[in-house]
Each structure stands twice: as structure tokens, then as C-alpha cells.
């Protein structure tokens, strides 16, 4: 009989006795041992228990593989006191009767260790597991069992067995960042990425490498280290709470090309997944994650809870639900009256995502020329001053001092590029006052017939402060009337152009050209201005042609007249020829 303990997932801590025979482990309901995790295949693993209590396992061509000690294995003997991992679920062989290690065991484990170091993985995987995971001393075995019983993360050290001391920082990635044989198979790589000489290489552009399994979160921060050459590399961490399969948020750490990347996670974070965001042409090697000392900044401001780590943020409503998520590799968040500010020493992308408590009150809209734009997946705006998020009493506005490029993702996030500062405001009184000021100027311009000013102020209201629907509707009404009257005037000018051209009336052409130019100046950017300028250009060109023709005709007539008078009246002819 074999006793196993589940260390992760909804059934963490559960123990199961496996009697002699064959047992199927997987996510499917027909499995003998069901593991409720999307990372576990329907039929993931086969475990065979002999009458003597020896356990053998075999991976059933699972999607996410079976791992031991960071190495992907196909099968072998499962020794007491060791763990194997199916997708993101760890399972411990928790038999209490663990025999003392004899010389024959030590020889087998030494042989397995040598085989692992040499890269062998197929002939004796059971020995590889033993070499990596089993400590020969009783004290070592007790330490492993203590870790399995606690279900804790690798960085939370229990008491060290007497006579043993830690050799250095623990790699929380369990060696998977070495990109060695076996470890590299744990990564899901983009098409432009490849592993060569135990390093991750990118030939150019932008790509992602996903380490799909979950890891436990240490009490301190995640301190990532790597050797990066010729490119940028940011650790992107997706994290979630205990018992939750869905990620709460994704936060990004500083660029590994600049040195160690320290990323604290909130106390509520129980697990995380790692993605490397890579950019440029170069390589990354020797990636490790250690426990750091930095902490998440947690505070309350005007009734809202703030969790911040560098450029990353979760803003929560009074009821605890998320209002806004922010993700950036750089910058700091600070509280100000009526909102928050984000500032970075450099222009760097930042991703904003509305939380549940904000989405239920209204949509997320990008500020743009002509009025707000919805943030459907794939929508992009080349130049935006910011966003409006939600509605009613929870409505917020995000603005930058510089225009940004915005693109909307399938997950509801809005990536903003080109800013080094943001102002997040939930106290919108100043913004509403600015909208009211513009509305008054629009009304005055309409009364005075200053259509150019009316259109300019309407454009500013729609682009920057479209917060009052009534004022926006009135501005659109007045600008529509101005454009309508301009269209009617353009039609009248165009009709008169044909008549003036038919009559070759230079004075009429000049007057119509002046009217067209004035119309274009009053209604810039409406399309009317283009048509009016085209009419003006035609009228002035035809006027110049007629003037040139008439001047040539006058000169020819005077030359004929001088020639006719030169014989009989030479003095008159000379005077006529010399006159201007």
C-alpha cells in the first residue's frame, strides 16, 4: 500500500491510500484520483503499486507533463518522501515507513545523480528522481516530510536538521530558469524564441516566454536575477489568492537588463505564474527567483484601499472590490487630494484595467478627437489625453500631460504608451467646471456668429472634458447648425462660380473668391473648408488667365496702332509707344 498526500489545489492536504494495482490520476471524472486543476490532463498519470508496496509511475502523454526536481520525467519508481508534480499540482509519497538508506541505495542514487548531470533522462528516470529529491539521512527525510505536511512555499524555511545549515538563497523557480535539458521543456516559448546553450535567445522584436506552473509566494518579495545580454527582459507575474484558480492581477517587475528585479506581492497573494516579456535581440540565462525584503505599500486614501508596488497598483472600493488595476515596470504611485498620481523617470508603457466595482457602473472610454471611443478589443487611438472609467458616483478620469498612444486588449486592459505621468481623479469637480466654462464659450460664440471659435471649443470639450452629456449634446447641436449654414453658403458660392466663369466676369470672380476664403477660415477641419478653398483657387486662377489674355490683347492692339500712325503721324506714334 502507498500513502500519498496532495499538496496543492482545492484538495490540498488530502491523503489517499493506494492499494496494490494500477491507478489513474487526472482531471477526468473517470480517474481513480481526481485532481481539480486545468493544468492536469484528463488522464495524466498512471501509478502502479506492487504487493510489496513499491510504487511506479508513468506519464500518459499529458499536456503539461510530469516533473520532479524541475526536470520533466516520463516515468519510474516513486520513492517514499519524494514529490512529483502534475501540471501545477504537487503530490507527495507520504509513506511513514521509510527504511534506512543502505549502501546499495546510495550507489543507485549516486548513479542517478551522475546520469542527471550528464543529461540522461530516458534510461533510468526513477534514479534521477531519487538523486534530486531524496536526502539519504534521516534528518533530511524528516525535513522533506515537514515541508510536505505544511504545504508551505519553498522560501518559508522550517527548522534545519541538527548539523545542517542552508547553503545559500533558495531558488523559488526550482532550477527551471537554467534552461538546461528538461528545465527548458517547462517553458511555453513564442515562435521567435529558442533555447541554445542553456540560454533563452531572441533574434529581435518582442516575445513572451511563459512558465505555466504555479509557484508559492514567499513572505517577502520576489527577487529575480538573470544574465541578460543585448535585450530587455521584464518579469510579468500573474498572482492569485488561496483556493482561487483565477488570477487576481498581473504585476510587472523592473527590467532585468538593469540588474536584479525586485517585485513585492500583496499578503493575499498565495501563488503566482511567471512570464518573461522580452524585447530586442539577445539572450537570457541563469534566471533564478529568490526571496527579497521589499514590501507592498498598503494604505487607505479617502475611503479607498491602495495596494502599490512600483508602477503596479490595485485600487479598491470601500466594499473591498477592485476599482482599478494598473501594471507597469516603472514609476511610483502617490496619493493626492481627490485621486492618485503615477510618475516615472522615463516614458514607459502602463496598462490600466477597470475592476468589477467600476465596470458595473459604466464603460471604459478613450478620450479622442470627436468624442470618447469605446475600448473594444483591437481598438487603438494614436493620440489620446487619457480615459474615462465607469460612471455615476464611481466615475474616474485618467489624464496625462502629454498625448499617448492607446491600444485595447482582449482582456479589457488598455495599454498606454508615451507618458511618464498620469493623474487619476475620482473628484471630478474641477473637470466638470472646465466643461461648464467651455459650454459657456460655445454659447457666446454661437450668438456672435464666430463659428471658428465655436468649433474649436466644441472640439476641446469633446476631446478633453466630455463629462456632462447635456453640455456635449448642446455643443454638438450648435456646431451642427454652424456647419449646416456653412454648407448652404458653400452651395450658393458654387452656383455663382459657374455663372461668373461663363461671363468671364473678373470682378465677380474676385468677390466670390474672397467669400470662399472667408468661409474656409470660419469652418476649418469640416470638409467645407477644403471645398471652399478649391472654389477660391479655381476663381483666382481663371481671373489671372483672363487678365493675362486681356493684357496681351491690349499690347497687340497698341502695337498695330503705333505701326499705323508711324508714317503719317510719327510724333503721335512715338508718344503712344513710349506711354505705359
Amino acid at each position: 500500500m502507498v500513502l500519498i498526500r496532495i499538496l496543492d489545489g482545492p484538495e490540498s492536504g488530502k491523503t489517499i491510500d493506494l492499494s496494490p494495482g494500477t491507478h489513474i490520476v487526472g482531471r477526468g471524472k473517470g480517474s481513480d484520483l481526481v485532481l481539480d486543476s486545468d493544468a492536469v490532463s484528463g488522464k495524466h498519470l498512471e501509478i502502479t503499486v506492487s504487493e510489496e508496496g513499491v510504487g511506479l509511475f508513468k506519464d500518459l502523454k499529458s499536456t503539461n507533463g510530469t516533473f520532479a526536481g524541475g526536470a520533466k520525467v516520463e516515468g519510474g519508481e516513486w520513492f517514499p518522501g519524494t514529490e512529483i508534480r502534475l501540471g501545477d499540482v504537487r503530490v507527495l509519497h507520504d509513506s511513514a515507513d521509510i527504511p534506512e538508506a543502505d549502501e546499495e541505495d546510495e550507489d543507485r542514487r549516486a548513479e542517478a545523480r551522475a546520469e542527471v548531470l550528464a543529461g540522461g533522462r530516458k534510461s533510468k528516470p526513477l534514479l534521477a528522481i531519487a538523486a534530486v529529491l531524496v536526502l539519504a539521512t534521516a534528518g533530511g527525510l524528516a525535513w522533506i516530510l515537514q515541508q510536505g505536511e505544511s504545504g508551505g512555499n519553498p522560501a518559508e524555511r522550517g527548522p534545519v536538521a541538527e548539523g545542517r545549515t542552508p547553503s545559500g538563497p533558495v531558488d523559488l523557480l526550482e532550477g527551471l530558469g537554467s534552461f538546461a535539458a528538461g528545465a527548458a521543456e517547462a517553458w511555453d516559448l513564442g515562435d521567435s524564441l529558442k533555447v541554445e546553450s542553456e540560454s533563452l535567445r531572441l533574434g529581435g522584436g518582442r516575445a513572451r516566454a511563459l512558465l505555466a506552473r504555479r509557484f508559492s509566494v514567499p513572505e517577502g518579495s520576489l527577487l529575480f536575477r538573470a544574465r541578460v545580454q543585448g535585450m530587455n527582459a521584464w518579469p510579468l507575474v500573474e498572482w492569485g489568492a488561496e483556493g482561487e484558480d483565477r488570477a487576481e492581477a498581473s504585476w510587472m517587475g523592473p527590467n532585468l537588463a538593469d540588474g536584479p528585479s525586485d517585485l513585492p506581492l500583496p499578503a493575499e497573494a498565495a501563488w503566482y505564474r511567471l512570464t518573461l516579456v522580452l524585447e530586442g535581440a539577445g539572450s537570457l540565462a541563469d534566471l533564478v527567483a529568490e526571496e527579497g525584503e521589499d514590501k507592498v505599500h498598503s494604505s487607505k486614501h479617502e475611503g479607498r484601499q491602495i495596494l502599490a508596488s512600483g508602477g503596479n497598483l490595485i485600487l479598491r472600493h470601500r466594499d473591498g472590490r477592485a476599482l482599478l488595476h494598473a501594471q507597469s515596470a516603472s514609476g511610483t504611485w502617490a496619493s493626492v487630494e481627490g485621486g492618485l498620481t503615477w510618475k516615472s523617470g522615463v516614458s514607459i508603457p502602463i496598462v490600466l484595467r477597470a475592476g468589477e466595482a467600476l465596470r458595473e457602473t459604466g464603460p471604459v472610454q478613450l478620450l479622442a478627437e470627436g468624442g470618447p471611443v469605446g475600448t473594444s478589443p483591437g481598438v487603438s487611438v494614436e493620440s489620446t489625453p487619457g480615459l474615462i472609467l465607469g460612471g455615476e458616483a464611481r466615475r474616474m478620469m485618467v489624464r496625462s500631460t502629454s498625448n499617448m498612444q492607446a491600444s485595447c486588449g482582449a482582456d479589457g486592459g488598455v495599454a498606454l504608451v508615451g507618458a511618464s505621468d498620469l493623474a487619476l481623479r475620482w473628484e471630478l469637480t474641477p473637470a466638470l467646471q472646465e466643461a461648464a466654462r467651455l459650454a459657456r464659450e460655445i454659447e457666446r460664440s454661437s450668438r456672435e456668429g464666430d463659428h471658428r471659435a465655436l468649433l474649436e471649443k466644441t472640439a476641446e470639450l469633446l476631446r478633453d472634458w466630455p463629462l456632462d452629456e447635456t453640455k456635449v449634446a448642446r455643443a454638438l447641436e450648435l456646431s451642427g447648425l454652424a456647419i449646416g449654414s456653412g454648407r448652404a453658403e458653400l452651395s450658393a458660392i458654387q452656383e455663382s462660380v459657374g455663372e461668373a466663369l461663363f461671363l468671364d466676369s473678373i470682378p465677380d470672380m474676385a468677390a466670390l473668391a474672397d467669400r470662399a476664403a472667408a468661409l474656409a477660415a470660419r469652418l476649418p477641419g469640416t470638409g467645407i473648408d477644403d471645398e471652399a478653398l478649391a472654389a477660391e483657387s479655381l476663381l483666382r486662377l481663371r481671373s489671372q488667365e483672363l487678365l493675362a489674355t486681356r493684357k496681351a490683347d491690349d499690347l497687340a492692339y497698341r502695337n498695330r496702332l503705333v505701326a499705323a500712325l508711324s508714317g503719317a503721324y510719327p510724333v503721335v506714334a512715338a508718344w503712344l509707344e513710349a506711354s505705359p
Side-chain angles (χ1 to χ4, degrees):
M1 182 174 293
V2 169
L3 177 67
I4 66 173
R5 183 191 300 270
I6 301 172
L7 301 181
D8 297 298
E11 298 186 3
S12 176
K14 180 179 179 181
T15 58
I16 303 98
D17 286 328
L18 298 183
S19 59
T22 300
H23 309 270
I24 301 299
V25 183
R27 191 178 72 252
K29 294 183 179 179
S31 300
D32 300 306
L33 173 56
V34 177
L35 299 178
D36 186 12
S37 170
D38 292 338
V40 176
S41 297
K43 291 185 177 181
H44 195 113
L45 191 74
E46 177 184 276
I47 299 175
T48 302
V49 180
S50 70
E51 294 292 341
E52 294 76 20
V54 176
L56 301 177
F57 70 91
K58 181 175 69 173
D59 185 86
L60 299 177
K61 301 185 183 301
S62 62
T63 301
N64 292 320
T66 301
F67 293 82
K72 189 175 183 180
V73 293
E74 296 176 1
E77 184 175 349
W78 192 4
F79 291 92
T82 66
E83 296 177 9
I84 58 177
R85 175 170 58 82
L86 291 69
D88 60 0
V89 178
R90 293 174 298 134
V91 183
L92 172 71
H93 189 323
D94 200 18
S95 296
D97 184 18
I98 303 173
E100 292 288 335
D102 55 23
E103 292 184 2
E104 182 178 353
D105 290 335
E106 289 299 328
D107 291 342
R108 286 203 306 154
R109 291 164 188 165
E111 179 185 350
R113 189 178 299 107
E115 184 174 335
V116 170
L117 293 175
R121 294 178 53 250
K122 293 185 178 180
S123 60
K124 298 180 180 179
L126 61 159
L127 300 181
I129 298 171
V132 174
L133 296 179
V134 179
L135 300 178
T137 66
L141 288 171
W143 185 84
I144 289 181
L145 290 174
Q146 182 183 26
Q147 293 296 95
E149 290 170 1
S150 69
N153 63 67
E156 294 174 350
R157 300 290 191 101
V160 179
E162 184 177 354
R164 297 177 59 87
T165 57
S167 59
V170 175
D171 177 16
L172 305 179
L173 298 182
E174 302 176 9
L176 297 180
S178 66
F179 299 104
E185 297 180 12
W187 292 84
D188 183 7
L189 305 179
D191 294 338
S192 55
L193 289 169
K194 58 183 178 180
V195 175
E196 290 182 352
S197 303
E198 299 187 358
S199 66
L200 187 61
R201 298 183 180 274
L202 176 63
R206 193 174 179 92
R208 294 192 175 205
L210 169 65
L211 191 53
R213 67 160 289 190
R214 291 181 179 181
F215 296 92
S216 297
V217 176
E219 290 184 355
S221 60
L222 291 168
L223 182 63
F224 295 98
R225 302 179 188 272
R227 288 192 297 110
V228 182
Q229 296 181 337
M231 66 178 180
N232 296 314
W234 296 275
L236 177 62
V237 169
E238 176 188 52
W239 57 266
E242 184 70 37
E244 294 289 337
D245 290 331
R246 185 177 62 86
E248 169 72 14
S250 57
W251 285 6
M252 184 172 281
N255 192 351
L256 282 163
D258 298 330
S261 181
D262 203 354
L263 181 62
L265 296 181
E268 66 201 61
W271 57 265
Y272 74 92
R273 291 191 183 97
L274 173 65
T275 297
L276 293 177
V277 180
L278 308 170
E279 182 181 67
S283 65
L284 180 147
D286 298 333
L287 173 68
V288 296
E290 302 167 357
E291 182 174 356
E293 298 180 353
D294 203 358
K295 299 292 183 182
V296 168
H297 173 70
S298 178
S299 63
K300 284 193 174 181
H301 178 49
E302 298 181 352
R304 296 161 180 84
Q305 184 187 17
I306 300 167
L307 294 175
S309 172
N312 305 290
L313 171 81
I314 296 181
L315 177 67
R316 288 201 170 104
H317 190 252
R318 295 172 179 84
D319 61 10
R321 293 183 300 158
L323 288 164
L324 184 71
H325 296 262
Q327 169 199 306
S328 179
S330 178
T332 55
W333 289 90
S335 300
V336 296
E337 185 177 357
L340 303 173
T341 61
W342 170 80
K343 292 185 178 180
S344 173
V346 295
S347 176
I348 192 166
I350 183 169
V351 178
L352 302 180
R353 186 178 295 105
E356 175 190 2
L358 198 60
R359 290 195 306 269
E360 68 184 15
T361 65
V364 177
Q365 297 176 300
L366 288 167
L367 300 177
E369 297 289 344
V373 175
T375 54
S376 301
V379 170
S380 63
V381 175
E382 287 298 319
S383 180
T384 175
L387 303 87
I388 299 175
L389 304 104
E392 303 171 357
R394 298 178 193 170
R395 183 170 53 171
M396 295 188 291
M397 176 175 273
V398 175
R399 292 181 62 86
S400 174
T401 56
S402 58
N403 281 332
M404 304 168 287
Q405 180 182 355
S407 56
C408 306
D411 61 352
V414 179
L416 301 173
V417 179
S420 58
D421 66 277
L422 290 179
L424 167 65
R425 294 286 185 270
W426 52 74
E427 173 49 65
L428 297 179
T429 300
L432 291 169
Q433 289 174 343
E434 185 65 16
R437 181 189 65 81
L438 287 170
R440 290 193 298 271
E441 293 187 8
I442 289 169
E443 292 284 356
R444 186 182 70 249
S445 299
S446 177
R447 290 193 302 270
E448 296 174 354
D450 187 351
H451 293 170
R452 183 185 183 92
L454 186 154
L455 294 177
E456 288 176 351
K457 298 304 179 183
T458 297
E460 185 178 354
L461 177 68
L462 294 176
R463 183 188 66 242
D464 294 329
W465 314 104
L467 299 170
D468 189 318
E469 294 182 0
T470 301
K471 290 180 173 58
V472 168
R474 177 59 175 167
L476 289 173
E477 177 187 2
L478 293 176
S479 62
L481 291 173
I483 291 173
S485 66
R487 177 64 63 184
E489 184 176 354
L490 176 64
S491 297
I493 291 173
Q494 289 173 333
E495 290 179 5
S496 299
V497 165
E499 183 178 353
L501 291 176
F502 177 76
L503 297 175
D504 282 343
S505 172
I506 293 177
D508 289 342
M509 292 181 191
L512 286 172
D514 291 341
R515 283 180 60 191
L519 178 61
R522 290 203 313 273
L523 300 173
T526 61
I528 294 174
D529 55 334
D530 293 334
E531 295 184 57
L533 290 174
E536 180 200 12
S537 177
L538 175 62
L539 290 165
R540 299 204 188 282
L541 179 62
R542 182 55 181 161
S543 296
Q544 292 171 0
E545 291 176 350
L546 288 173
L547 287 172
T549 299
R550 292 180 182 181
K551 184 176 180 180
D553 290 344
D554 289 344
L555 180 60
Y557 173 75
R558 188 172 63 171
N559 290 338
R560 290 197 301 272
L561 184 59
V562 169
L565 294 173
S566 60
Y569 304 100
V571 176
V572 176
W575 171 82
L576 185 60
E577 188 176 17
S579 59

